[in-house]
Amino acid sequence: MAKIFCVANQKGGVGKTTTTVNLAAGLAKVGQRVLMIDLDPQGNATMGSGVDKRTLELTVYDVLLESASIAEARQRSDKLVGTDYSYDILGANRELAGAEVEMVELERRERRLKTALAAVSTEYDFVLIDCPPSLSMLTLNGLCCAHGVIVPMQCEYFALEGLTDLVNTIKQVKANLNDDLQIIGLLRVMFDPRITLQQQVSDQLKAHFGDKVFDSVIPRNVRLAEAPSYGLPGVVFDPASKGAQAFVTFAQEMVQRIAAMG
Ligand code: ATP
Ligand code: MG
């Protein structure tokens, strides 16, 4: 049975998509079978995995509205097949923005993705879900089916403040919809150790959250930012770069952490 993780933070531009696609590629590299689900109408994780969101016939939208199964809607990326980094992709595009409204009338609307995932769960070791920058019905669908949440964050002044809403949402989902749910870890991303403030916030994070802060740290690295324009995760685009190496290390840490959880 696959272990399912949401990459979530309601703050925009904090590195969710970069984390999702690079962790997916990194996990594939260390031998894991991975499905990456793009749950953001921006479709950045889809494009960043080498799948053109504009030409997709079936997406996660069709899965949420139960007009397609995940087996029917998932894709392989031509850019990744044949490499050591290949993972399956359930893509998204702008159409998904309408799902929020269309699902209002539906029963079990927050459990649609969970139900759909049950049918393919034995085919994967990991399912990673890239959430949009909001605590919306889409994110709720992700949180409902996940065993845990990975929270990427930049070590900036308001970082801790922003976490409160997310932590409260996770508590509510755990209490009402998904008893399994927990924060697996906080991932420090776009980190620059030369900036004193970032060190200070990083220390605060460790003081508040202890073991919940991943040991791996993702540095600010321009190769990670360049990779999406080639339709590739940074881990594949430039495996020797500092950013790529940090994500492969993080993938290994994830595998160990999950094994330790049992
Ligand atoms: P959104 O909330 O819009 O979905 P996001 O949280 O998914 O955004 P990303 O798209 O992953 O964030 O990252 C935001 C920007 O920062 C992108 O341009 C990305 O390429 C860049 N970026 C992310 N991580 C790094 C890094 N470690 N080093 C350099 N640039 C990075
Ligand atoms: Mg994103």
Side-chain angles (χ1 to χ4, degrees), residues 61-130:
Y61 170 84
D62 301 280
V63 170
L64 290 172
L65 293 182
E66 292 180 350
S67 58
S69 66
I70 292 179
E72 289 163 339
R74 67 187 164 193
Q75 316 280 324
R76 289 269 165 95
S77 163
D78 291 341
K79 297 200 173 176
L80 298 178
V81 168
T83 71
D84 291 342
Y85 303 93
S86 191
Y87 53 89
D88 286 358
I89 296 146
L90 179 57
N93 56 30
R94 288 176 56 189
E95 202 179 23
L96 183 59
E100 195 92 25
V101 176
E102 288 166 57
M103 285 166 71
V104 166
E105 301 283 301
L106 304 179
E107 285 172 40
R108 308 175 294 104
R109 60 181 181 275
E110 66 285 330
R111 294 183 203 272
R112 291 281 168 129
L113 190 59
K114 184 183 171 84
T115 308
L117 264 177
V120 294
S121 173
T122 56
E123 295 178 46
Y124 299 102
D125 300 305
F126 282 88
V127 177
L128 299 180
I129 303 172
D130 186 31

Side-chain angles (χ1 to χ4, degrees), residues 17-232:
T17 300
T18 305
T19 299
T20 309
V21 300
N22 283 288
L23 180 58
L27 285 169
K29 171 74 180 164
V30 297
Q32 306 294 308
R33 299 167 303 163
V34 182
L35 171 66
M36 193 287 293
I37 301 180
D38 190 349
L39 209 47
D40 185 343
Q42 295 181 97
N44 294 342
T46 305
M47 297 294 278
S49 301
V51 171
D52 189 345
K53 64 182 179 184
R54 293 158 299 195
T55 59
L56 280 177
E57 284 181 15
L58 294 172
T59 67
V60 68
Y61 170 84
D62 301 280
V63 170
L64 290 172
L65 293 182
E66 292 180 350
S67 58
S69 66
I70 292 179
E72 289 163 339
R74 67 187 164 193
Q75 316 280 324
R76 289 269 165 95
S77 163
D78 291 341
K79 297 200 173 176
L80 298 178
V81 168
T83 71
D84 291 342
Y85 303 93
S86 191
Y87 53 89
D88 286 358
I89 296 146
L90 179 57
N93 56 30
R94 288 176 56 189
E95 202 179 23
L96 183 59
E100 195 92 25
V101 176
E102 288 166 57
M103 285 166 71
V104 166
E105 301 283 301
L106 304 179
E107 285 172 40
R108 308 175 294 104
R109 60 181 181 275
E110 66 285 330
R111 294 183 203 272
R112 291 281 168 129
L113 190 59
K114 184 183 171 84
T115 308
L117 264 177
V120 294
S121 173
T122 56
E123 295 178 46
Y124 299 102
D125 300 305
F126 282 88
V127 177
L128 299 180
I129 303 172
D130 186 31
C131 291
S134 64
L135 297 172
S136 60
M137 179 57 63
L138 292 171
T139 299
L140 199 57
N141 258 275
L143 294 177
C144 257
C145 56
H147 299 106
V149 186
I150 297 165
V151 184
M153 53 187 308
Q154 287 173 258
C155 289
E156 288 176 346
Y157 185 63
F158 289 116
L160 281 169
E161 212 166 301
L163 271 183
T164 313
D165 288 340
L166 181 62
V167 169
N168 285 337
T169 301
I170 290 169
K171 276 189 191 149
Q172 280 179 17
V173 173
K174 181 176 171 62
N176 298 305
L177 297 164
N178 176 6
D179 190 41
D180 284 347
L181 193 64
Q182 56 172 310
I183 292 185
I184 298 296
L186 307 176
L187 179 66
R188 291 162 287 171
V189 299
M190 300 189 223
F191 194 73
D192 184 344
R194 292 166 302 182
I195 300 176
T196 310
L197 177 65
Q198 293 209 2
Q199 276 297 352
Q200 287 169 347
V201 174
S202 173
D203 291 344
Q204 279 178 0
L205 266 186
K206 281 195 264 185
H208 269 79
F209 291 95
D211 285 353
K212 291 282 180 193
V213 182
F214 286 110
D215 295 332
S216 312
V217 177
I218 310 299
R220 183 170 286 283
N221 180 260
V222 70
R223 302 300 269 169
L224 291 173
E226 288 168 353
S229 63
Y230 297 86
L232 288 171

